[in-house]
Amino acid sequence: MKAIDRPFTNIINGTSQFVVPVFQRDYTWRADPQCAQLWRDVLRAGRPGEEGGHFLGSIVYIATGDSVAGFTRWLLIDGQQRLTTLTLLLVALRDHIRSTDWTGGDDDPTPKRIDAYFLKNVQEEGDREQKLILRRHDQLTLRALLDGKQAPQEPSESILENYNYFRDQLLLADPSAVYRGIGRLVIVDVALDRQTDDPQLILRV
């Protein structure tokens, strides 16, 4: 097991995919209090003059064993709630910029950057295009949001509610500050070794 403090954006950026395994629960975070707290953390981290990163918790994962050249797939053992919520925030930020025609400077977010860096593996096809794969109807709703399509008839309430929460918050926020805050979030990156670590045993400790 290797644990390293890393910026969240370094973990998700790259041609890789995190998959929520079958033994994990569904996505359960709500707009209040979890998303509201994350939103406050992001705004605090994104303030001008703010130094260092803002610690957000840990993400534990292990290689699936079926990765190929240029593409790595990981089983997400712990941290699903954080990673999913940050993904929803990034989808909401992308869609807010797109719908308002907001433009910033050279280092500011654009829909193209957000998609390519944090949401999609733009050179891949099918399910491999997503950087995060959820379970059951959570996955169907997330995929619809990523693709800008209508939600399924029976959507994941938590996924849709939290996406809409972030869309509402962004109406009164500076996209540049939000993007900067996301970039300053720090995660304890815990990579397990398939040869020596039992992920289910680690979760029970």
Side-chain angles (χ1 to χ4, degrees), residues 7 13-14 29 40 56 69 84 90 94 153 169 178 187 193:
N13 193 359
W29 274 20
R40 289 192 292 269
L56 198 62
T84 303
L90 284 160
R94 179 200 68 184
Q153 279 193 327
Q169 300 307 307
V178 174
I187 294 285
D193 188 325

Side-chain angles (χ1 to χ4, degrees), residues 172-186:
L172 301 175
D174 175 9
S176 179
V178 174
Y179 193 65
R180 185 167 58 245
I182 294 171
R184 290 174 177 170
L185 298 177
V186 176

Side-chain angles (χ1 to χ4, degrees), residues 119-179:
L119 298 177
K120 297 181 178 181
N121 298 309
V122 294
Q123 301 301 324
E124 299 294 333
E125 303 289 341
D127 285 344
R128 291 193 358 174
E129 184 184 23
Q130 286 183 242
K131 288 184 178 292
L132 176 64
I133 297 286
L134 303 181
R135 301 178 63 225
R136 303 190 184 102
H137 64 304
D138 285 346
Q139 164 61 13
L140 295 176
T141 306
L142 177 61
R143 182 73 200 224
L145 291 174
L146 286 170
D147 293 344
K149 296 181 178 178
Q150 186 174 353
Q153 279 193 327
E154 298 182 5
S156 165
E157 292 183 6
S158 295
I159 294 287
L160 211 52
E161 174 189 348
N162 295 347
Y163 166 80
N164 288 326
Y165 169 81
F166 289 129
R167 285 299 303 268
D168 290 342
Q169 300 307 307
L170 283 160
L171 292 173
L172 301 175
D174 175 9
S176 179
V178 174
Y179 193 65

Side-chain angles (χ1 to χ4, degrees), residues 12 29 51 68 82 87 93 102 140 155 168 182 204:
I12 200 68
W29 274 20
E51 296 183 1
V68 296
R82 295 184 191 91
T87 297
L93 179 60
W102 181 88
L140 295 176
D168 290 342
I182 294 171
R204 291 196 293 268

Side-chain angles (χ1 to χ4, degrees), residues 8 21 63 73 78:
F8 157 72
R73 183 180 281 120
D78 189 36

Side-chain angles (χ1 to χ4, degrees), residues 16-85:
S16 61
Q17 183 180 77
F18 289 90
V19 179
V20 176
V22 294
F23 59 80
Q24 285 277 20
R25 60 178 177 165
D26 290 336
Y27 179 64
T28 59
W29 274 20
R30 311 301 298 189
D32 188 16
Q34 292 98 343
C35 291
Q37 181 60 59
L38 175 64
W39 179 252
R40 289 192 292 269
D41 291 342
V42 168
L43 292 184
R44 187 180 304 114
R47 288 186 300 210
E50 191 76 15
E51 296 183 1
H54 182 87
F55 176 70
L56 198 62
S58 62
I59 289 179
V60 183
Y61 56 91
I62 190 169
T64 61
D66 62 352
S67 299
V68 296
F71 179 83
T72 306
R73 183 180 281 120
W74 307 96
L75 280 182
L76 185 60
I77 306 304
D78 189 36
Q80 175 203 168
Q81 308 296 319
R82 295 184 191 91
L83 188 53
T84 303
T85 307

